[in-house]
Amino acid sequence: MDLEGNYVDALDPERLIQCPYDNYHQIRACRFPYHLIKCRKNHPEIAKQLATCPFNARHQVPRAEISRHISSCDDKSCIEEDIVSQSNNCQGEKMNIVSMWQPPPCDEDWDRDLQEQSNSAFVWGTFSSGINNSPGSSVVMEQKSNLMSGMRAPKSLPYSLSWKSRAGN
């Protein structure tokens, strides 16, 4: 029961933690990371003497003791367990994944389409489907317009383009 009580105390966001930069600072656990950043800026000479634990940024340890701290840090075991479990999961997933995907059949033949197209240049507003419309051909293609009968598209714009009028000057 004593171990459970200590474990709950360690997770309590309201418990007080002593600042490594100023011994008179007692900070609530939930505010401790923010306080560390602020105090590190206010005490640069002490910050140079301390090293940050690679397993928990809240652990500020004197540089001379960092290797001993790393070997005995409580958070190290949690991270090592996570790494081992993730590597086991990844290996298991790689072995179980078998793709059943097959590409759909392709009906396109770009080379054939290119040969079927006429050699005429592109003209805006004309329709070319690549089908031979020679007079001897039985296929007749008519140009379609979305305009109502009796209406036509204008051949000029109702306004002048400023860049076009300047180009002529």
Side-chain angles (χ1 to χ4, degrees), residues 24-94:
Y24 296 107
H25 291 175
Q26 296 291 318
I27 295 85
R28 290 181 301 144
C30 62
R31 297 293 307 159
F32 192 65
Y34 305 104
H35 178 81
L36 280 178
I37 293 169
K38 181 179 177 184
C39 250
R40 184 180 300 132
K41 289 178 183 176
N42 292 338
H43 302 284
E45 64 285 344
I46 298 173
K48 290 177 186 175
Q49 298 170 2
L50 297 177
T52 303
C53 171
F55 305 112
N56 188 339
R58 295 179 181 200
H59 297 172
Q60 301 292 314
V61 183
R63 290 195 181 275
E65 298 176 19
I66 189 68
S67 60
R68 183 183 62 77
H69 174 81
I70 289 173
S71 62
S72 64
C73 182
D74 293 335
D75 294 322
K76 177 182 178 181
S77 62
C78 296
I79 291 177
E80 288 174 342
E81 289 172 8
D82 286 346
I83 291 171
V84 169
S85 67
Q86 285 179 355
S87 65
N88 289 341
N89 288 343
C90 289
Q91 290 174 356
E93 288 175 7
K94 288 179 183 176

Side-chain angles (χ1 to χ4, degrees), residues 95-124:
M95 295 165 78
N96 292 337
I97 296 175
V98 176
S99 176
M100 300 305 287
W101 182 82
Q102 294 290 325
C106 182
D107 296 337
E108 294 180 347
D109 186 358
W110 292 1
D111 294 328
R112 184 187 70 220
D113 292 346
L114 187 62
Q115 291 172 355
E116 290 176 358
Q117 288 180 353
S118 65
N119 292 334
S120 63
F122 174 78
V123 178
W124 177 260

Side-chain angles (χ1 to χ4, degrees), residues 145-163:
S145 173
N146 293 336
L147 297 174
M148 296 186 321
S149 63
M151 306 228 9
R152 66 172 181 81
K155 294 186 179 187
S156 63
L157 298 174
Y159 52 87
S160 64
L161 300 173
S162 60
W163 59 270

